[in-house]
């Protein structure tokens, strides 16, 4: 029987594009019986009256709007409309197994229903992140009621789907009790209409022909349109380049457009006219000041275009700097001018970045992969099956921590908030005499943590599974140790006579790891190794994505230089034979397994092997589940979940135990 899913979308601005993508993804899966509700279309007279009443008064972006609660009322209008439409469907005899809300405001008036019907909430930003882009002072306070309402929605949801790591990290920081529900599932991009042959067409163009730069954005000012016009005037490209601006915004003064700039109005997405603009363009530019995600950057990638974007929010997850485009600070006209000049003057750069962008769209932006991931989330939400690992801190927050958390939450991101955090860390350091904050695990292990790592957690299923196999005298490899949560308990379990090697490539995190080893008096047992474990040994580049622990090796020249090593090479160099390996490498599992083939084979039954899989990251790395399964088959391994779940491959953020097919040991 098909799963009956109700998709509710606010339908405003970029959310309309998201609704279209979700509709396409749901249509690909015959196991879903999908009903779609667009809250911005087909408004009945009553809905128009209610909207008018709820949104009347000063605008939400003004101080007077804050005093009048305008922002909260605007978002509550979406929630109230969603609740009415759901009731109407139910009165008509419709029943649903699961409800998918995009975004959180659509669920504001459905908290009771979410208790009765499993629900997923999809978000592209949090209230706090939106507040950080607002004018300082009273206007920012207008986001506070919404932030509290969002927290209620997150608690009621069965799962929270963030479209970016940037948004996911903020949910986990603001509502840490709900972290186990958070999944990262970026929007896909439909390649329909975008011909891969456009790149060859661009290569054949006359080099004397003007480079065509394209801007597409609704809210002209917020999308950086005025910054772009100013940068274009400063660039003064003459006949070398033209700029086409596609917008229906009334903010554009048509009489003051610089030379070489054309304004196009009334262009609708997915029309032949819209497709033609992408085909004719050589570069896409959107110097946005506000975008949480920016689906249009994915569309540019599908068109095989390099992009110029801004270094804000989730944009760097879509435009890979130096690989698929260039990033500049928001509102920095000089940097924008220089980026435009670089693109206009260098056809080889445009071709290389455009090709990389198209390849990325074909792999990480696959509609089929998104459809499978979305379907898995919906099915697991409907059945109540957990799909990501649950974590525990095994410590209560002190009164000082609770007070500081409330104070920090009321302060927007910036120097003041960082100062509060720094003062708190210093205070906690003094209060603990530099010995760290104590966490006491279920079997009595005491772990001391630096105040800045007070959010470190342990997955209960992993903790019990690791504890069951770790023995005194073991040699353990903690691959992707981060600040040492598991290395520190492994160091206690393998005594006497055992050793732990904890691998962490990021310099700052490695310092935290080394400090934790010292304050836990484990220097003689746990050896920190500043290296990335990979499928090769040599120089590598590491990106750090802002969410603690989410560091990945990347190709190209962007990132921080680090040393990489395979497990096989490390074991040969150190002449060690591990009996326990834990791998948490944020999507690079395939390469680590390839680099450990000899070790896994020779250790056989004596090796306990645990690997944390990250399916959400595989899309962006050009890896599929089939690739992982093929590698396991090659090594004669099978994957087992540590908890009772129907599909181990749907787990995110919890280790799988790898056992040799037909064997009793973890890898035998």
């Amino acid at each position: 029987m098909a799963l009956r899913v109700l998709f509710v979308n606010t339908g405003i601005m970029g959310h309309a594009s998201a609704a279209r993508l979700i509709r396409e993804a749901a249509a690909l899966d015959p196991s879903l019986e999908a009903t779609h509700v667009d809250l911005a279309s087909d408004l009945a007279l009553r809905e128009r009256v209610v909207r008018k009443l709820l949104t009347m008064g000063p605008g939400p972006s003004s101080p007077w709007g804050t005093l009048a609660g305008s922002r909260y009322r605007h978002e509550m209008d979406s929630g109230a409309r969603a609740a009415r439409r759901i009731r109407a469907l139910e009165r008509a005899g419709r029943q649903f197994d699961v409800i998918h809300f995009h975004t959180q405001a659509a669920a504001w008036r459905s908290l009771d229903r979410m208790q009765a019907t499993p629900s997923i909430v999809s978000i592209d930003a949090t209230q706090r992140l939106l507040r950080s882009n607002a004018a300082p002072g009273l206007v920012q306070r207008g986001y506070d009621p919404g932030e509290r309402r969002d927290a209620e929605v997150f608690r009621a949801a069965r799962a929270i789907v963030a479209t970016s790591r940037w948004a996911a990290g903020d949910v986990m920081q603001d509502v840490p009790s709900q972290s186990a529900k958070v999944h990262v599932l970026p929007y896909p991009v439909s390649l329909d209409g975008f011909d891969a042959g456009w790149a060859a067409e661009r290569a054949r163009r006359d080099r004397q022909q003007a480079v065509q730069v394209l801007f597409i954005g609704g809210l002209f000012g917020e999308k950086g349109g005025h910054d772009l016009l100013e940068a274009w005037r400063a660039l003064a490209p003459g006949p070398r380049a033209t700029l086409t601006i596609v917008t229906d915004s009334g903010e554009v003064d048509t009489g003051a457009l610089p030379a070489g700039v054309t304004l196009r109005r009334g262009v609708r997405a997915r029309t032949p006219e819209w497709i033609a603009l992408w085909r004719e363009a050589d570069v896409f530019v959107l110097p946005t000041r506000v975008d949480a995600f920016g689906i249009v950057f994915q569309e540019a990638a599908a068109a095989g275009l390099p992009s110029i974007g801004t270094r804000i929010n989730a944009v760097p997850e879509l435009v890979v700097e130096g690989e698929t485009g260039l990033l500049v600070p928001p509102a920095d006209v000089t940097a924008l001018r220089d980026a435009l000049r670089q693109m206009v003057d260098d056809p080889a750069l445009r071709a290389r970045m455009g090709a990389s962008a198209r390849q990325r769209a074909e792999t990480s932006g696959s509609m089929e992969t998104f459809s499978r991931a979305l379907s898995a989330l919906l099915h697991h939400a409907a059945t109540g099956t957990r799909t990501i690992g649950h974590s525990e801190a095994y410590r209560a927050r002190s009164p000082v921590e609770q007070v500081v958390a409330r104070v920090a939450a009321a302060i927007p991101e910036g120097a003041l908030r960082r100062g509060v955090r720094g003062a708190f860390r210093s205070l906690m350091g003094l209060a603990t005499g530099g010995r760290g904050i104590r966490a006491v695990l279920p079997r009595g292990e005491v772990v001391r943590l630096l105040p800045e790592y007070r959010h470190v957690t342990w997955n209960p299923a992993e903790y019990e599974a690791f504890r069951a196999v770790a023995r005194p005298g073991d040699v353990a490899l903690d691959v992707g140790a981060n600040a040492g949560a598991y290395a520190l308990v492994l160091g206690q379990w393998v005594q006497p006579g055992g050793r732990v090697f904890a691998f962490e490539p990021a310099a700052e995190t490695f310092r935290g790891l080394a400090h934790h080893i010292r304050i836990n008096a484990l220097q003689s047992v746990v050896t920190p190794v500043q290296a990335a474990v990979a499928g090769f040994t040599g120089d590598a580049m590491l990106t750090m994505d802002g969410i603690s622990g989410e560091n990945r090796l990347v190709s190209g020249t962007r990132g921080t230089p680090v040393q990489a090593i395979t497990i096989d090479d490390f074991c040969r160099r150190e002449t060690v034979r591990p009996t326990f390996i834990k791998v948490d490498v944020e999507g690079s599992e395939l390469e680590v397994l390839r680099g450990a083939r000899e070790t896994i084979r020779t250790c056989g039954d004596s090796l306990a092997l645990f690997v944390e899989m990250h399916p959400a990251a595989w899309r962006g790395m050009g890896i599929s589940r089939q690739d992982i399964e093929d590698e396991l088959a090659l090594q004669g391994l099978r994957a087992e979940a540590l908890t009772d779940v129907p599909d181990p491959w749907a787990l995110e953020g919890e280790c799988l135990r790898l056992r040799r097919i037909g064997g009793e040991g973890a890898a035998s």
Side-chain angles (χ1 to χ4, degrees), residues 396-425:
R397 290 198 301 173
S398 68
V400 173
E401 287 180 80
Q402 296 177 43
V403 170
V404 171
R406 293 194 195 98
V407 171
I411 302 172
E413 279 294 344
L416 180 57
R417 185 163 179 157
R418 289 192 295 271
V420 170
R421 290 174 181 157
F424 167 73
R425 291 170 185 172

Side-chain angles (χ1 to χ4, degrees), residues 129-254:
L129 292 171
L130 295 173
R131 179 174 58 197
S132 66
N133 291 320
L138 190 58
V139 173
Q140 292 189 339
R141 305 301 302 179
Y143 291 88
D144 292 352
E147 190 170 3
R148 290 190 289 270
R149 191 70 174 186
D150 280 0
E152 294 181 70
V153 168
F154 294 152
R155 283 190 285 269
R158 185 68 59 86
I160 304 163
V161 178
T163 57
S164 65
R165 295 188 297 274
W166 166 77
D170 205 70
V171 173
M172 291 187 283
Q173 178 179 326
D174 278 5
V175 196
S177 63
Q178 305 304 305
S179 294
K181 297 179 180 179
V182 180
H183 304 250
V184 179
L185 187 60
Y187 294 127
V189 57
S190 175
L191 297 178
D192 290 347
F194 294 105
D195 194 326
W198 291 354
E201 290 181 8
R202 296 182 185 114
R204 290 194 297 266
R205 288 175 187 167
D206 186 345
R207 291 296 177 91
Q208 301 304 313
Q209 183 178 334
V211 175
Q212 299 188 53
V213 181
L214 178 65
F215 168 98
I216 299 179
L219 301 174
F220 191 70
E222 293 186 2
K223 301 291 185 177
H226 297 301
D227 300 328
L228 176 58
L229 290 179
E230 190 176 345
W232 193 264
R233 290 188 184 94
L235 178 66
R240 292 183 301 135
T242 63
L243 170 62
T244 299
I245 292 176
V246 181
T247 184
D248 289 335
S249 171
E251 300 177 64
V252 185
D253 183 356
T254 55

Side-chain angles (χ1 to χ4, degrees), residues 17 125 141 151 167 175 217 219 245 275 291 343 361 408 463 472 486 509 538 551 560 567 585 604 639 645 649 651:
S17 297
R141 305 301 302 179
V175 196
L219 301 174
I245 292 176
I275 292 289
D291 274 73
M343 284 291 193
Y463 167 81
Y486 285 114
T509 310
N551 306 325
T560 302
I567 287 177
V585 287
V645 296
W649 295 100
L651 279 167

Side-chain angles (χ1 to χ4, degrees), residues 460-492:
E462 291 177 348
Y463 167 81
E464 292 295 342
F466 297 171
R467 183 68 186 87
V469 298
R471 297 286 186 270
D474 276 354
V475 174
L477 306 185
D478 186 358
V479 176
N482 199 257
Y486 285 114
L488 299 175
V489 288
L490 284 166
Q492 299 178 48

Side-chain angles (χ1 to χ4, degrees), residues 280-573:
E280 295 161 4
D282 297 295
V283 181
F284 177 71
V285 59
L286 187 78
T288 178
R289 295 184 174 199
V290 298
D291 274 73
F293 187 80
I295 291 175
V296 69
F297 287 114
Q298 292 180 298
E299 292 167 339
L305 293 180
S307 291
I308 300 175
T310 40
R311 205 174 287 111
I312 63 167
N313 306 340
V315 175
E317 297 179 36
L318 304 173
V319 180
V320 183
E321 188 163 18
E323 184 176 325
T324 67
L326 301 174
L327 295 174
V328 300
D332 190 331
V333 172
T334 300
L336 180 57
R337 178 205 63 193
D338 293 345
L340 286 165
R341 177 179 291 122
Q342 188 176 354
M343 284 291 193
V344 168
D345 291 347
D346 194 338
L349 178 71
R350 296 196 304 270
R352 176 175 62 80
M353 289 185 170
S356 295
R358 173 71 187 197
Q359 183 181 26
R360 185 175 173 86
E362 291 174 350
T363 54
S364 64
S366 163
M367 180 66 75
E368 290 74 16
T369 304
F370 177 85
S371 176
R372 288 194 296 270
L374 178 63
S375 179
L377 283 171
L378 292 166
H379 281 280
H380 284 296
T383 59
T385 305
R386 182 179 58 188
T387 57
I388 67 172
H390 170 63
S391 295
E392 294 287 351
Y394 296 122
R395 51 176 293 272
R397 290 198 301 173
S398 68
V400 173
E401 287 180 80
Q402 296 177 43
V403 170
V404 171
R406 293 194 195 98
V407 171
I411 302 172
E413 279 294 344
L416 180 57
R417 185 163 179 157
R418 289 192 295 271
V420 170
R421 290 174 181 157
F424 167 73
R425 291 170 185 172
S426 298
L427 177 63
M428 292 301 294
L430 291 172
T432 61
R435 299 181 63 236
I437 301 168
R438 291 175 82 249
V440 181
L441 278 67
R443 296 181 182 270
E445 302 91 346
V446 175
V447 174
R448 294 187 173 274
L449 303 168
L450 296 171
E452 54 265 44
Y453 290 99
R454 63 192 179 279
H455 299 302
V456 162
T457 58
W458 291 263
N459 176 292
E462 291 177 348
Y463 167 81
E464 292 295 342
F466 297 171
R467 183 68 186 87
V469 298
R471 297 286 186 270
D474 276 354
V475 174
L477 306 185
D478 186 358
V479 176
N482 199 257
Y486 285 114
L488 299 175
V489 288
L490 284 166
Q492 299 178 48
W493 294 336
V494 303
Q495 294 188 62
R499 299 180 68 187
V500 177
F501 296 92
F503 297 81
E504 174 54 47
E508 183 177 352
T509 310
F510 179 80
R511 286 192 289 272
L513 169 64
H515 199 149
H516 281 146
I517 293 170
R518 289 195 298 273
I519 64 176
N520 285 274
L522 290 170
Q523 300 96 312
S524 63
V525 182
V526 182
T527 300
V529 181
Q530 190 172 2
V533 176
F536 65 95
T537 295
D539 297 331
M541 301 299 287
L542 181 77
T543 60
M544 288 161 276
D545 291 315
I547 301 174
S548 178
E550 291 207 356
N551 306 325
R552 296 188 179 97
L553 292 181
V554 294
S555 60
T557 58
R558 68 186 184 96
T560 302
V562 296
Q563 285 297 304
I565 191 167
T566 67
I567 287 177
D568 288 344
D569 285 344
F570 178 83
C571 291
R572 281 193 294 267
R573 188 186 76 187

